[in-house]
Amino acid sequence: MIISIEQLREKVDTGSVDTVVVAFPGLYGRLLGKRFDADFFLNSVAQKGTHGCNYLATVDMEMEPVEGYTFANWDEGYGDFHMQPDISTLRVLSWADRTAVVICDIVDESSHQLVPQLPRSILKNQIQLTSEQGYQAKAATELEYYLFRQSFEQAHQQNFVNLTPSGWYLEDYHILQGARRESYHGELRRQLKRSGIPVESTKGEWGLGQHEINVAYAEIGEMADRHLLIKQCAKELADQNDISVTFMAKQEQDQAGSSCHIHLSLWSNGRNVFAGNQVFGRIKCSDLFLKFLAGWIEHAPEFMPFYAPTVNSYKRYQHGSWAPTTLAWSHDNRTAGFRVVGSGDSLRIECRIPGADCNPYLALAASLASGLDGIQRQLNPPDEFVGNAYDLETTKAVPTTFREAIEVFSNSDFVRRTLGEPVHDHYVHFYQNEQSEYENVVTDWERKRYFERI
């Protein structure tokens, strides 16, 4: 549950909390930081913060420092940045032993300003711009994942192949099959709720051992924090139960990919400003809704690496796969990249493009920036598409490879203006390195195909 500093002090005094995780989201969207003695946190870190090596904004997945960044490098000696706890995020982690967590903003030690290259800084910048225009963004992210019977350690020893999924037939909405692993999914729901993350439901998905979790929508920054902790909880609970869970976008060629559908709306004075009486296609909405939708659609290809950040991400976009391949929008149509659902104050846009591997801070920042640009430029969306969008050839398609997505992202003046040139350059280098790492690896697929027969 979310608590105040005073409530934390009470829990520390009674011994129910003795550790505070002080962490921030890295470029891959995973928690990085330190574990502090709770008394030391209260007496020092809560007010003064702590430090971390700035190389953490330049490492690859294996924590190897990558050369070529301006922000931090060997020539500069890899100094520190400041980790300033955002006390509004302080909560007790019910699934962890006597442990609380607080999420930090990363601040420059000299200027005391947010370090713009960090994901949480990028989202906070867009939230500030939204507020200056008189709006508050609210969002929810739907996460899909696969559960396996092997532990993470066993999976690693098996090179992550020949793993046994937790289900043996497709369990989409299937109560019986889902019940067989309710010991895990039920515990995930309960622990998240006790930790201050209101859960709506879990359900079987369209893959062997695949599930989806839905949590209550929230202010967009809070939603990004929740998303981060949902994945952390899911992995730690799996660890505790000697099983494993993956949020890969496409973990098996013949299985459905795992998505992160983003639901988003703008609010002002307690009302959803997307609601209105203007008829467009099969929906009733405001003119502002249409402008926001138009901007989000227009800029989706340019921000694609923020929605699909790895080589693996693009293997999810297949015809008839439940992952969208076009930028069509439609009312309650799961073949379209943008699905409009709800009515009145529940009216919202669901973007179905992001995968479960996305960094929520970056994906939500891209969504917000794109929609706001549509409002500013008074863009109009295309007409509503009705039918099977997989068969649509007249609409723009999403980039189909990581290399193509990086090129569009790199050449986008809009992305460069939105992020600022130093931040844009930082992420171009980040994604180019991820692509390069993949291209240098010899895969099992290559050995099977070429070892004898080439």
Side-chain angles (χ1 to χ4, degrees), residues 182-255:
E182 178 62 5
S183 59
Y184 174 80
H185 304 295
E187 190 67 9
L188 177 62
R189 295 194 307 273
R190 287 185 287 273
Q191 297 295 354
L192 288 172
K193 183 177 181 180
R194 291 170 189 159
S195 301
I197 300 175
V199 176
E200 292 183 355
S201 65
T202 57
K203 61 172 284 290
E205 263 296 333
W206 208 75
L208 297 181
Q210 188 184 32
H211 262 66
E212 175 183 283
I213 184 165
N214 295 304
V215 300
Y217 75 96
E219 183 275 325
I220 197 168
E222 165 66 11
M223 189 64 235
D225 293 340
R226 289 181 182 181
H227 181 119
L228 193 70
L229 293 171
I230 290 166
K231 290 180 72 173
Q232 190 72 19
C233 179
K235 292 179 180 181
E236 291 190 19
L237 284 182
D239 244 353
Q240 294 167 17
N241 288 278
D242 291 326
I243 55 179
S244 55
V245 61
T246 183
F247 293 90
M248 283 182 67
K250 188 75 169 178
Q251 62 85 23
E252 194 68 51
Q253 183 175 337
D254 60 355
Q255 293 293 308

Side-chain angles (χ1 to χ4, degrees), residues 301-305 308 314 399-411:
E302 296 163 89
F303 263 125
M304 198 67 184
Y314 296 82
T400 56
T401 68
F402 196 27
R403 177 175 291 280
E404 178 190 355
I406 295 169
E407 183 176 357
V408 175
F409 178 88
S410 175
N411 293 329

Side-chain angles (χ1 to χ4, degrees), residues 217-446:
Y217 75 96
E219 183 275 325
I220 197 168
E222 165 66 11
M223 189 64 235
D225 293 340
R226 289 181 182 181
H227 181 119
L228 193 70
L229 293 171
I230 290 166
K231 290 180 72 173
Q232 190 72 19
C233 179
K235 292 179 180 181
E236 291 190 19
L237 284 182
D239 244 353
Q240 294 167 17
N241 288 278
D242 291 326
I243 55 179
S244 55
V245 61
T246 183
F247 293 90
M248 283 182 67
K250 188 75 169 178
Q251 62 85 23
E252 194 68 51
Q253 183 175 337
D254 60 355
Q255 293 293 308
S258 289
S259 68
C260 168
H261 300 151
I262 292 176
H263 294 249
L264 196 154
S265 55
L266 290 186
W267 293 66
S268 180
N269 298 318
R271 298 303 304 269
N272 183 353
V273 297
F274 282 179
N277 295 316
Q278 183 171 337
V279 177
F280 192 75
R282 292 175 292 170
I283 64 169
K284 284 187 176 182
C285 60
S286 67
D287 187 62
L288 187 142
F289 167 91
L290 296 175
K291 308 306 182 191
F292 192 97
L293 174 63
W296 200 352
I297 291 172
E298 175 167 306
H299 294 305
E302 296 163 89
F303 263 125
M304 198 67 184
F306 276 17
Y307 303 128
T310 72
V311 173
N312 177 259
S313 306
Y314 296 82
K315 297 178 181 181
R316 176 174 155 260
Y317 303 113
Q318 303 292 330
H319 182 95
S321 65
W322 301 107
T325 56
T326 68
L327 297 173
W329 79 270
S330 187
H331 175 258
D332 197 16
N333 183 338
R334 286 179 169 85
T335 69
F338 292 84
R339 175 177 173 245
V340 176
V341 289
S343 61
D345 273 352
S346 71
L347 182 67
R348 61 200 185 274
I349 303 167
E350 177 193 23
C351 179
R352 299 176 60 82
I353 294 170
D357 56 349
C358 74
N359 182 324
Y361 299 89
L362 300 180
L364 289 169
S367 304
L368 197 49
S370 300
L372 291 176
D373 185 65
I375 294 173
Q376 182 178 354
R377 293 168 53 210
Q378 294 290 291
L379 300 179
N380 291 311
D383 291 338
E384 179 189 8
F385 177 79
V386 178
N388 182 359
Y390 288 116
D391 294 333
L392 184 61
E393 296 180 355
T394 58
T395 253
K396 222 194 272 190
V398 299
T400 56
T401 68
F402 196 27
R403 177 175 291 280
E404 178 190 355
I406 295 169
E407 183 176 357
V408 175
F409 178 88
S410 175
N411 293 329
S412 169
D413 291 334
F414 173 71
V415 174
R416 185 178 292 106
R417 289 195 311 271
T418 298
L419 301 179
E421 190 163 350
V423 179
H424 181 243
D425 290 346
H426 192 89
Y427 280 89
V428 168
H429 188 63
F430 174 65
Y431 294 124
Q432 286 176 339
N433 180 73
E434 187 73 14
Q435 172 72 27
S436 177
E437 287 291 306
Y438 169 77
E439 291 178 347
N440 292 336
V441 171
V442 177
T443 66
D444 288 346
W445 184 91
E446 291 167 279

Side-chain angles (χ1 to χ4, degrees), residues 13-63:
D13 289 343
T14 62
S16 61
V17 171
D18 61 21
T19 301
V20 180
V21 173
V22 179
F24 67 94
L27 271 61
Y28 287 101
R30 52 186 177 175
L31 274 175
L32 304 171
K34 309 175 183 180
R35 284 179 163 84
F36 280 94
D37 172 85
D39 279 315
F40 184 81
F41 173 82
L42 286 168
N43 296 330
S44 177
V45 178
Q47 295 80 30
K48 300 176 183 177
T50 186
H51 66 276
C53 180
N54 62 16
Y55 100 117
L56 292 170
T58 69
V59 293
D60 66 11
M61 187 67 78
E62 305 300 332
M63 303 303 293

Side-chain angles (χ1 to χ4, degrees), residues 86 105 114 118-130 221 361 365:
D86 179 348
D105 289 316
L114 289 175
L118 273 296
R120 202 165 192 261
S121 301
I122 292 172
L123 179 56
K124 290 190 82 166
N125 181 51
Q126 292 304 316
I127 292 172
Q128 178 63 33
L129 293 173
T130 305
Y361 299 89

